[in-house]
Amino acid sequence: MAEIVIKNLRKDFGDFNAVKSSSFTIGDGEFFMLLGPSGCGKTTTLRMIAGLELPTSGEIYIDGEEVGQRPASERDIAFVFQMFALYPHMNVRKNISYPLISQGMPRAKVKEKVAEVARILGIEDILDRPVGGLSGGDRQRVALGRAIVREPKAFMMDEPLGALDAEFREHMAEELRALHDRMGATTVYVTHDQLEAMQMGDKIVVMNHGVIEQFGVPQDIYDWPATMFVAEFIGSPPMNFLRFDGVAEAGRGSVQMNGHDFLVPDLRDGAKGPLVLGVRPEHVHLSEAAPYRGKVIATEYLGTTQIVTIKTPNGEIKARTGSEASVNAGENVGLEFNGNTVTVFEANTGIALRSAANERVLAHG
Ligand code: ATP
């Protein structure tokens, strides 16, 4: 168990700056997600925490001790890779016990530990099987077994479910989260899959181009994105952006777009020029009477809901409505937004304006 504190962490590869200046704290026992698109620096960050890569500058504290320049072997961290390599010539039991035997642990103790890990993972019945013929899920469990048997201070996982097909992946994600809840070990998990991050994480760091865009609990990141990048990266369909030129006045709970007033959470910051009203699809309501109007260009039936694509004077947006609502392409519809869920962004910087609703979230972001 360990608390991990990252301060001003930076990594350069030659002239290329892969991680700019990251600071965040991973609480003891947290399941912590590093999320972002390919190349954003999440694996590099994970490798620096594990000691597989040394930072160019900045500090890494594990349980209060600065370990940034120490090798992996001195950090007591277990790494679980996507391409989990097992020793093919050994059976399951030997694969799991190997780290303990190489530490010189007495045989009886090893046996006890392996039995305990096998019970936690539900793989007691395959302990004597060769690893060659195992299913993907069982191979993953054995790889996890080999990592957890050492009882390290923390686990680092780099897209561990990346190689599995969608259905099985979801099952393993649940299993991994349940395993974490039973063991309570600090886990840092890299993924580019926002759903996986939302589903499993206690906290999420969203990275882009080596920069932390936001850091917080999944719900805050979904409801109150700090930047347009986060608003678009999280959620499917992503947050809608209605673009307009105008003034956002501090102290007001509304903005004017195309001559219509739209309620927003009380603004703490003002801005003028190109602005963006950010609205999640489930907060767009079709209403006959609403004066702000658009034209339906497509509907997509999803079973319990449907996604309606609407052309508005401020760009195309998507609404998530009940599947029973009868909406057809070509129709002219009125649009209303839930005022207390809207985020206003400055278009040029992509940064959310502070408001009564999001300032708590942006403050620790
Ligand atoms: P992916 O999911 O594709 O691995 P990532 O967010 O984990 O993406 P990193 O692997 O951390 O990204 O890489 C960040 C950037 O640093 C990338 O542009 C990558 O090409 C570069 N990079 C990573 N390792 C090295 C290296 N050893 N030498 C040079 N450049 C590197």
Side-chain angles (χ1 to χ4, degrees):
M1 304 269 272
E3 180 191 67
I4 302 172
V5 178
I6 306 297
K7 281 196 185 151
N8 307 320
L9 197 62
R10 179 189 173 103
K11 180 68 185 180
D12 296 330
F13 293 110
D15 290 342
F16 180 70
N17 181 207
V19 174
K20 297 224 157 62
S21 178
S22 288
S23 297
F24 53 87
T25 296
I26 302 168
D28 187 17
E30 255 172 16
F31 203 119
F32 192 92
M33 312 304 271
L34 292 173
L35 172 69
S38 182
C40 71
K42 50 197 189 300
T43 295
T44 304
T45 302
L46 190 78
R47 288 173 58 82
M48 285 193 280
I49 299 173
L52 300 174
E53 202 83 70
L54 294 182
T56 306
S57 59
E59 293 132 55
I60 300 169
Y61 296 86
I62 299 181
D63 276 341
E65 217 177 309
E66 215 279 297
V67 298
Q69 298 298 325
R70 295 215 201 134
S73 56
E74 290 177 25
R75 297 194 195 186
D76 195 13
I77 278 176
F79 211 105
V80 181
F81 294 93
Q82 176 180 343
M83 288 302 165
F84 33 92
L86 300 174
Y87 302 116
H89 56 286
M90 295 182 190
N91 65 16
V92 171
R93 183 189 304 280
K94 288 206 172 114
N95 263 280
I96 297 177
S97 52
Y98 189 79
L100 302 182
I101 289 169
S102 51
Q103 274 173 22
M105 186 181 280
R107 295 252 159 202
K109 185 84 187 146
V110 171
K111 203 167 169 200
E112 201 180 295
K113 290 253 171 224
V114 172
E116 187 190 334
V117 164
R119 187 180 48 74
I120 292 173
L121 291 167
I123 52 171
E124 290 128 306
D125 53 330
I126 60 165
L127 277 177
D128 295 313
R129 295 251 300 271
V131 295
L134 296 181
S135 68
D138 280 341
R139 289 177 71 84
Q140 183 69 285
R141 291 185 190 99
V142 177
L144 281 170
R146 206 170 52 184
I148 67 181
V149 77
R150 271 179 42 208
E151 297 179 32
K153 281 192 170 161
F155 295 101
M156 303 290 124
M157 302 192 180
D158 194 353
E159 307 243 8
L161 310 181
L164 308 176
D165 63 54
E167 195 181 331
F168 195 60
R169 191 179 168 139
E170 195 162 317
H171 171 74
M172 281 307 286
E174 277 170 24
E175 209 173 284
L176 209 52
R177 177 69 225 203
L179 176 68
H180 172 266
D181 291 344
R182 282 201 296 277
M183 302 204 334
T186 309
T187 303
V188 190
Y189 188 108
V190 159
T191 181
H192 64 272
D193 181 337
Q194 51 107 9
L195 272 178
E196 199 169 272
M198 301 283 283
Q199 181 188 7
M200 300 170 82
D202 293 317
K203 294 257 182 67
I204 301 177
V205 152
V206 185
M207 292 186 73
N208 186 31
H209 294 310
V211 173
I212 293 181
E213 297 264 335
Q214 194 165 1
F215 162 45
V217 299
Q219 192 174 355
D220 283 345
I221 286 180
Y222 182 83
D223 289 343
W224 305 117
T227 64
M228 288 171 71
F229 173 82
V230 174
E232 240 186 340
F233 195 75
I234 308 264
S236 173
M239 187 176 257
N240 293 300
F241 295 148
L242 291 121
R243 293 167 188 277
F244 65 107
D245 262 313
V247 182
E249 240 179 86
R252 277 193 68 158
S254 67
V255 293
Q256 209 177 57
M257 179 171 79
N258 296 35
H260 298 278
D261 270 330
F262 288 88
L263 292 179
V264 301
D266 237 359
L267 293 170
R268 303 287 194 237
D269 292 338
K272 71 176 179 203
L275 298 173
V276 172
L277 208 61
V279 191
R280 293 260 174 225
E282 60 275 26
H283 298 138
V284 177
H285 302 295
L286 310 187
S287 139
E288 261 322 300
Y292 183 74
R293 306 197 70 83
K295 187 176 166 190
V296 175
I297 51 178
T299 61
E300 188 188 344
Y301 177 72
L302 294 177
T304 52
T305 61
Q306 61 182 326
I307 304 294
V308 183
T309 307
I310 303 146
K311 192 165 181 214
T312 78
N314 303 88
E316 219 171 271
I317 65 168
K318 289 184 190 290
R320 188 187 288 277
T321 68
S323 51
E324 71 291 345
S326 148
V327 196
N328 299 303
E331 247 174 78
N332 182 275
V333 290
L335 297 167
E336 279 174 355
F337 310 133
N338 269 2
N340 52 358
T341 61
V342 169
T343 302
V344 185
F345 299 95
E346 222 173 350
N348 292 337
T349 58
I351 293 174
L353 299 185
R354 266 183 331 128
S355 72
N358 70 6
E359 62 183 350
R360 171 188 60 86
V361 171
L362 304 189
H364 78 253

